[in-house]
Amino acid sequence: MRIEGFRGELQRYPGMRVLETVEMFDDEITSYSVVRKLLENNSAIDAFFFSAGGKEGGIRAIVEAGRRKTPRIVTVD
């Protein structure tokens, strides 16, 4: 429901789009590795939405990526 709600709100902002939706299974290690791979494979990613547990691993991957402009991060939970 959180993802559906988030996607619904994005419709109000035509310049924003979801590139990919990924399950993290509330797991820090999975979150870290998935986010790291996403960042390595797509330089256009400029934001992440975490809707459950496991966000700390993903945030660590974002910080460690050391991008000149850190992606925006939205979390719930």
Side-chain angles (χ1 to χ4, degrees), residues 3-24:
I3 294 170
E4 287 177 27
F6 185 74
R7 283 180 178 269
E9 282 299 307
L10 283 183
Q11 291 177 14
R12 296 175 38 192
Y13 304 93
M16 296 177 75
R17 64 188 174 99
V18 174
L19 295 176
E20 190 167 347
T21 301
V22 182
E23 289 277 338
M24 305 293 187

Side-chain angles (χ1 to χ4, degrees), residues 53-64:
K55 62 188 165 284
E56 289 87 359
I59 292 169
R60 186 168 46 101
I62 293 166
V63 171
E64 287 179 8

